Amino acid sequence: QVHLVESGGGLVQSGGSLRLSCVISGGVFGIYAAGWFRQAPGKQRELVGGITSDGSTNYVDSVKGRFTISRDNAKNTVYLQMNDLKPEDTAVYYCNAGLTVGSPDEYVQWGQGTQVTVSA
């Protein structure tokens, strides 16, 4: 059973940057694929992107070229670097982990998330 703690959110202006962190414990971190998800008010939680155990990444089209996912296995931490933020990126951001990165409804347990608010 994994334990997830997200941090790094905040309020930024459009065009700004934030770096989110997610500490994952409760298993062998190095074998996990990890995903970042977000949920905007009134919307369903959606996948933003993911990183495999060997460091390969993929992203949804809306964040490609702006967001970068990385991992530090020594720190059991996954990062989401967000650049050129837009108001539509405003959401609560979550991470999760498993043998693969799946859709949000495939995960049973979630952390508390971290709020990202982008002002116009």
Side-chain angles (χ1 to χ4, degrees):
Q1 187 173 6
V2 296
H3 183 59
L4 309 146
V5 179
E6 302 93 343
S7 63
L11 172 64
V12 295
Q13 291 186 333
S14 182
S17 298
L18 282 174
R19 188 196 196 200
L20 307 184
S21 299
C22 173
V23 179
I24 302 174
S25 58
V28 180
F29 181 83
I31 68 170
Y32 287 141
W36 280 98
F37 304 81
R38 65 186 179 186
Q39 187 166 17
K43 295 187 177 181
Q44 291 188 330
R45 195 167 300 183
E46 63 175 0
L47 175 66
V48 173
I51 186 166
T52 64
S53 58
D54 64 0
S56 298
T57 56
N58 61 78
Y59 307 91
V60 296
D61 287 346
S62 60
V63 306
K64 280 181 181 177
R66 301 189 299 122
F67 290 12
T68 303
I69 298 173
S70 61
R71 63 190 296 158
D72 184 337
N73 288 350
K75 296 182 178 180
N76 284 15
T77 302
V78 178
Y79 302 98
L80 179 63
Q81 177 67 44
M82 304 186 295
N83 299 327
D84 189 24
L85 282 160
K86 304 176 180 182
E88 53 263 42
D89 295 318
T90 295
V92 179
Y93 283 71
Y94 303 86
C95 67
N96 222 314
L99 294 181
T100 61
V101 177
S103 61
D105 57 7
E106 295 180 31
Y107 298 94
V108 174
Q109 191 171 356
W110 292 89
Q112 83 288 349
T114 186
Q115 175 71 49
V116 172
T117 303
V118 185
S119 62

